[in-house]
Amino acid sequence: MRSMIRAGRRAQLVTEPADGRPSTRPDRTIDRLLALAAALEGATGLVLMTFPVTFVGLLIGAELSAAGAALGRITGFALFALGVACWPGARGTSDAAAQVRAMMTYGLLAAVYLFLLGLGGDLVGVLLWPAVAVHAAFTFFLTRAWVRRSS
């Protein structure tokens, strides 16, 4: 008997009995592990967004500069979005919907934060405003497409 994981909206354990016909059943262990991983990554993202200097100090025992703290927050946004993408969705939702939610979450958080950094004036590089524009544009277009698809 051979076993493998079949990809899809819900992970399934596929076993091939001696007669060669595949049988499938939902693998609840994978769903539970995915939910736990999503919660942990999302929580880590929230901590990094809020307290990047403290978190990095506790994690690796190093000090962060202001630029390091800004990048730590952006990393927190990405981890939070990963948690959003991997959180078990309602029945009938697709992987694409989770991916769109995650990219909208990350894009919005990154655009707003980078915009606020730019207004502060201390951490402004040549790519800051183009990055704000790109994140805002992608978030806008993803949101518009999602709303149209939902209607």
Side-chain angles (χ1 to χ4, degrees):
M1 186 180 305
R2 196 176 81 190
S3 297
M4 64 182 187
I5 303 287
R6 178 179 290 168
R9 159 72 186 93
R10 307 238 348 130
Q12 295 178 328
L13 180 63
V14 179
T15 57
E16 292 182 3
D19 64 5
R21 291 186 326 230
S23 64
T24 61
R25 62 180 168 84
D27 189 343
R28 307 244 187 271
T29 302
I30 291 176
D31 290 344
R32 288 183 184 123
L33 288 172
L34 191 57
L36 179 60
L40 289 173
E41 294 302 338
T44 301
L46 286 172
V47 171
L48 260 173
M49 283 189 270
T50 312
F51 308 106
V53 174
T54 303
F55 182 80
V56 170
L58 291 171
L59 183 66
I60 59 176
E63 301 263 335
L64 282 182
S65 65
L71 287 176
R73 283 193 172 90
I74 292 171
T75 302
F77 302 154
L79 286 174
F80 183 74
L82 178 64
V84 168
C86 294
W87 188 254
R91 301 248 184 246
T93 59
S94 67
D95 289 337
Q99 294 164 356
V100 169
R101 281 193 316 268
M103 288 306 294
M104 286 174 16
T105 301
Y106 175 72
L108 178 65
L109 291 171
V112 169
Y113 181 66
L114 291 173
F115 178 78
L116 293 173
L117 275 180
L119 290 181
D122 293 334
L123 299 173
V124 179
V126 68
L127 292 179
L128 179 74
W129 294 113
V132 170
V134 167
H135 284 290
F138 274 114
T139 302
F140 171 78
F141 290 122
L142 281 170
T143 303
R144 189 172 77 174
W146 191 37
V147 167
R148 284 183 179 172
R149 184 177 177 193
S150 299
S151 333

